[in-house]
Amino acid sequence: MLTKNLFTSSLLSALAAAAPKPQVAGYTNADASFSVSDPTGVPATVFGPDSQIAAIPTVAPPAYPRVSSDVDGPTSHGPYSGTPTTTGAAKGPATLGTAIAPLPPNPTATYYNANGIPKNAFPIPYTPAGGLGTNGTEPRYMVNSDFDFESISLGLYQEWIELDLFNNGLAVFSAQDFLDAGLTAEDRAYIAFMAQQETGHATLLTNMLGEAAPVQCTYDYPFRTVREFIDFNQKLTRWGESGVWGFINHLDSREVGQLLSQSIATEARQQLSFRQMLGLSPQPVWFEAGIPQSWSWTYLAPYISSCPANQTRLAWQNFPVLHIVNQANPNRFSPNDTKPNEVSGNRIADPSDSTIPEEESCVNVNATEHPGYSCSPGISRNHSEPLTFPGKLVNLTWEEPGKAVGPNNSYITSTSAGSPLYVAWVSQLNLTYTPLEITGDNVGFTYQPAGEVYQGDPMANDTMFIALTDSNPFLTPFNLSMINPHVVALGLYQAG
């Protein structure tokens, strides 16, 4: 009997070791061909009694249905291998020019209040004159122009990939994989809740677009480990948030902008949380940057493998990719030791390589014994050595236009700019240029600029945006999209 019990126990252990990694319920065909060995945490062992609080039974009214459940049924991942039936961005019936000329301020923008006393009659008590949508008209929460439709469609493409991405990471990595990366069951539950948030965001944007709203696609992810999954999440939510800040105040429908701002506030919290899980400072800036729609689409498209045949196409541009050769690796306790091209792949926002030697990694460094060198998950981390610093040499390479990218390889990278002369740095409220030194065919370097937004707030920080340009036009956050005709290539820069 003892022999039988021992054999049964051994057999069960062997089966457990050989079993596939757990999947999110309903989420099938996840790609689970990799694993990771990272630090583990020490769980609490003593807990106090639960508090007693007053409560009454409640019943919720029927809820509005979502366009997607927490997961979206069978899914697949990987690169697209077919032949596109349609290529290029969506186009209107005509294009009126090649660039938009800068103009002086709007002639009606003349209001100035020198003494703080209201200048005009109040329409009702306690309500100053002015404002849009304040005259009693019924709100209409639908897109109101081609600009609105293409912008919100882009936002919906973003929400769909986030819904799949968060579930995919939970499906392909085991509970032990997450523990080895310093993330517990509660952290996994938190990521699962973020996926649920995306079902609400996708429902909201779908309703504001109508029957032509884009649907979920098939994706090709760049991560191989839990750390790289988290790194990709913090990059993707960074451009997802900044992409909305870039266009939200240009929407013709202010009602759409209102609801969109209430969803993107959640996106900001997601990005902050993923930085904490990666051991980065959660909010190292005073302001978040806004970027044009074509920048967001350039970052996003390479990770969409294919979409249904009748999928709504986007009108935004796909720029060639700018690679930062010596991109700082947040998995190192000494980011200055990052080797060239130390990333998981060759796409525009691929995560940093987390499979570096253990003796060079910051993941398992004891934060108490060696403060300033750990990058394990934490509410906030101070680093003895910053990821980057002003004056750092930044080595660059960039691709030629004409590359097929995005869903079904049906979008083509393009640029209307001339030869690259500058590197544009977009962070917080600032657009800063540094000279580009060309050293070969599509190879060059620049130096990270110094500068502050306001005194004490370094301009170059956080996960930020970088581009090659043929000139250095003066632009500000509200008209940054006017830089697009001058962009040669676009990249993502990992600062502090």
Side-chain angles (χ1 to χ4, degrees):
M1 191 68 175
L2 176 62
T3 303
K4 182 179 179 181
N5 286 342
L6 286 174
F7 173 78
T8 303
S9 177
S10 299
L11 177 61
L12 291 175
S13 297
L15 289 175
K21 296 174 191 274
Q23 293 192 333
V24 178
Y27 187 90
T28 59
N29 301 330
D31 188 358
S33 59
F34 39 77
S35 62
V36 66
S37 179
D38 277 337
T40 59
V42 180
T45 57
V46 179
F47 302 92
D50 292 337
S51 300
Q52 300 298 308
I53 58 174
I56 59 172
T58 58
V59 178
Y64 188 90
R66 294 176 287 179
V67 296
S68 172
S69 60
D70 294 337
V71 295
D72 202 35
T75 185
S76 60
H77 301 88
Y80 178 72
S81 59
T83 302
T85 57
T86 304
T87 58
K91 292 180 172 62
T95 301
L96 304 180
T98 59
I100 297 176
L103 296 171
N106 191 320
T108 62
T110 58
Y111 178 85
Y112 181 73
N113 192 328
N115 58 14
I117 299 173
K119 304 298 182 185
N120 300 288
F122 283 22
I124 60 174
Y126 307 106
T127 303
L132 298 178
T134 61
N135 62 352
T137 55
E138 181 180 349
R140 178 181 183 269
Y141 296 100
M142 293 288 292
V143 292
N144 229 19
S145 65
D146 287 347
F147 182 92
D148 287 9
F149 186 93
E150 294 293 338
S151 299
I152 299 302
S153 291
L154 171 63
L156 184 52
Y157 269 90
Q158 178 81 20
E159 306 296 0
W160 280 131
I161 194 175
E162 289 169 355
L163 169 57
D164 183 84
L165 172 62
F166 300 162
N167 280 318
N168 185 258
L170 295 172
V172 301
F173 297 114
S174 69
Q176 188 61 51
D177 289 334
F178 276 93
L179 284 172
D180 291 343
L183 298 169
T184 68
E186 290 184 327
D187 298 312
R188 288 186 285 115
Y190 181 31
I191 296 173
F193 176 69
M194 291 192 227
Q196 293 175 346
Q197 290 175 320
E198 298 309 327
T199 67
H201 297 172
T203 300
L204 174 69
L205 272 60
T206 296
N207 291 343
M208 294 193 295
L209 289 168
E211 61 187 17
V215 298
Q216 196 164 41
C217 298
T218 297
Y219 306 101
D220 184 21
Y221 295 127
F223 53 81
R224 305 159 301 175
T225 67
V226 169
R227 290 277 302 182
E228 291 172 8
F229 165 64
I230 298 299
D231 192 5
F232 185 59
N233 286 348
Q234 71 91 9
K235 288 181 168 71
L236 183 129
T237 51
R238 167 74 283 135
W239 79 66
E241 179 192 351
S242 290
V244 170
W245 297 141
F247 71 70
I248 191 168
N249 281 319
H250 295 286
L251 293 170
D252 289 286
S253 172
R254 297 177 74 85
E255 298 95 326
V256 168
Q258 172 69 40
L259 298 190
L260 186 60
S261 67
Q262 292 178 237
S263 69
I264 211 62
T266 298
E267 190 100 347
R269 289 163 171 80
Q270 291 175 351
Q271 206 269 341
L272 177 154
S273 298
F274 286 126
R275 288 182 63 87
Q276 290 177 314
M277 294 179 190
L278 197 64
L280 293 174
S281 174
Q283 42 176 324
V285 292
W286 296 3
F287 306 92
E288 301 300 344
I291 57 174
Q293 295 95 324
S294 289
W295 291 35
S296 296
W297 185 227
T298 298
Y299 295 123
L300 174 59
Y303 302 100
I304 305 177
S305 176
S306 62
C307 293
N310 60 347
Q311 178 80 314
T312 296
R313 297 184 64 76
L314 294 182
W316 308 112
Q317 187 172 6
N318 297 89
F319 291 107
V321 173
L322 172 65
H323 298 285
I324 294 86
V325 176
N326 56 336
Q327 183 85 275
N329 188 343
N331 298 296
R332 288 186 173 275
F333 62 77
S334 177
N336 286 331
D337 294 331
T338 302
K339 295 178 173 58
N341 300 308
E342 198 169 87
V343 289
S344 66
N346 196 40
R347 284 176 285 177
I348 190 168
D350 285 359
S352 293
D353 185 2
S354 69
T355 64
I356 59 176
E358 186 71 13
E359 62 271 18
E360 300 173 10
S361 170
C362 54
V363 176
N364 289 319
V365 172
N366 187 303
T368 301
E369 296 179 3
H370 305 285
Y373 292 99
S374 173
C375 62
S376 60
I379 294 174
S380 187
R381 290 285 181 203
N382 292 325
H383 291 274
S384 297
E385 185 176 313
L387 289 180
T388 62
F389 51 88
K392 177 184 176 179
L393 174 70
V394 181
N395 293 314
L396 306 168
T397 64
W398 55 96
E399 296 178 356
E400 290 288 338
K403 181 178 179 180
V405 296
N408 311 87
N409 285 337
S410 63
Y411 291 82
I412 309 298
T413 61
S414 65
T415 176
S416 59
S419 299
L421 298 174
Y422 300 94
V423 179
W425 304 74
V426 175
S427 178
Q428 304 195 66
L429 307 180
N430 288 27
L431 169 61
T432 304
Y433 297 94
T434 55
L436 172 67
E437 299 293 335
I438 297 178
T439 57
D441 292 339
N442 291 28
V443 178
F445 68 88
T446 191
Y447 295 95
Q448 179 178 316
E452 298 176 315
V453 181
Y454 296 115
Q455 187 176 25
D457 178 23
M459 176 276 296
N461 219 349
D462 205 352
T463 304
M464 54 180 292
F465 311 97
I466 185 173
L468 298 187
T469 62
D470 64 1
S471 60
N472 56 346
F474 174 78
L475 299 169
T476 57
F478 194 69
N479 66 348
L480 182 61
S481 64
M482 293 177 65
I483 199 174
N484 286 349
H486 304 285
V487 172
V488 177
L490 186 64
L492 196 67
Y493 188 77
Q494 185 62 67

